[in-house]
Amino acid sequence: MLIALLLLLTAILFLQVLRLVAVGQIQPHVLFELWFYQMMRFVPRIVPPAFFFSVIFVLGRLHRDSEMTALAACGIGPRRLYLAIFLAALPVVVLAALLSLVGQPWGAANIDRVKLEQKGQVAELAGISPGRFNEYSKGDIVFYCESVDNHGWMHNVFVQSRQQGAVGIISADSAYQMPDPSSGDRFLMLLNGLRYEGTPGQQDFKLIHYDSYLLRLARLDDAILQIRRSGLATGMLLASASLQDRAELQDRLSYPLAVLTLTLMAIPLSRSLPRQGTYGRLVVAILLYAIFLNLQGVSRNWMESGITPGWLGTWWLQAAMLGLAGLFSGLDSFRWRRVWQRLGRRQSFPG
């Protein structure tokens, strides 16, 4: 189940990153890097449902093949069954905790870093799209190039720049970027072109032919990497008293806790009566998980907006899921199963 969800998540995220490449927001060489960071961010969210539905599928198959009846005849009761399932769930809980507390913020922080670099706040022309007019430096520079080769060289370049109120038009056969580490400036080196200077509507135009022309784009230290809350390290969230930081921390902790609560709920949901189908309660399980997933987002929004008190936070959702799992376990007890079986027989033979 985890492999199936991973393949689905991989396809969805890869298409999202590929769309960013198609519209020119990022360069092709960072495609797989950004996709990997996206995977690290979203993988913790699929671990709880993967284990939840896996337990339902496995136990449902055992019920269908009457293996559970054979186990019960050998003296393996519900207590030993719960113990075995929870022992199998412990490594999954540890994996979900590592992914959500360490992997998820690491991936989110690197996503912000890559997107910042590609937006041009660190490198003005990092995400240029050939064949399109692109604006930089708040409209002071309008850039166009016909093509970009594999080495980063741009060909048939057109630049309109505005410096100190004067508008200049530059054309070049080729160009490339050139950072200056000592000054922190980034330049565009244009080769073999023409520069037009003057005021539109007047006859004071100057035509200058040049072999090389250096155009300043931006300073490397002008960009400040601002990491979103999802990219903050878990240790920073633990030390913070902010309500939003506490909500983010509880959201990360909810994934390993969800493995336990959903596992407790999966055991009674996997049981099917003899007259039912293979997975008679699978639809109920999917509906319950959809409700849980939506309430998870609602609980965080309520905590951030102050609707729920700070001491309660988002823990009420986990408590409600535990209570619901206990209710299902109680209804799945031997006494209640006999009641449901009798009701099923009466419905099958009303006379």
Side-chain angles (χ1 to χ4, degrees), residues 237-260:
L237 298 179
L238 286 171
S240 175
S242 171
L243 189 62
Q244 288 75 18
D245 291 343
R246 290 167 58 191
E248 174 66 27
L249 177 62
Q250 293 185 18
D251 183 71
R252 296 181 188 178
L253 292 173
S254 66
Y255 298 115
L257 292 177
V259 175
L260 296 176

Side-chain angles (χ1 to χ4, degrees), residues 298-320:
V298 171
S299 63
R300 176 172 178 173
N301 292 332
W302 284 359
M303 181 179 178
E304 292 178 344
S305 58
I307 297 178
T308 55
W311 60 268
L312 182 60
T314 62
W315 305 124
W316 62 268
L317 178 58
Q318 301 293 337

Side-chain angles (χ1 to χ4, degrees), residues 9 14 35 45 103 114 139 150 185 193 207 210 214 274 286 288 292 301 317 321:
L9 181 65
F14 187 79
W35 165 78
R45 305 183 185 187
V114 172
N150 295 330
D185 292 337
L207 178 61
Y210 62 86
L214 207 58
I286 295 175
L288 286 175
F292 168 75
N301 292 332
L317 178 58
M321 295 297 293

Side-chain angles (χ1 to χ4, degrees), residues 60-110:
R61 180 62 181 269
L62 292 177
H63 280 290
R64 189 195 69 173
D65 296 340
S66 300
E67 296 290 344
M68 298 301 294
T69 304
L71 290 175
C74 295
I76 299 179
R79 182 178 301 179
R80 293 186 62 181
L81 177 63
Y82 275 92
L83 179 60
I85 297 299
F86 272 96
L87 287 178
L90 288 180
V92 183
V93 173
V94 175
L95 175 63
L98 289 175
L99 290 174
S100 61
L101 299 178
V102 180
Q104 177 178 328
W106 178 77
N110 281 281

Side-chain angles (χ1 to χ4, degrees), residues 202-213:
Q202 300 182 8
Q203 299 181 353
D204 57 347
F205 272 85
K206 296 180 181 179
L207 178 61
I208 302 174
H209 180 272
Y210 62 86
D211 295 327
S212 62
Y213 185 88

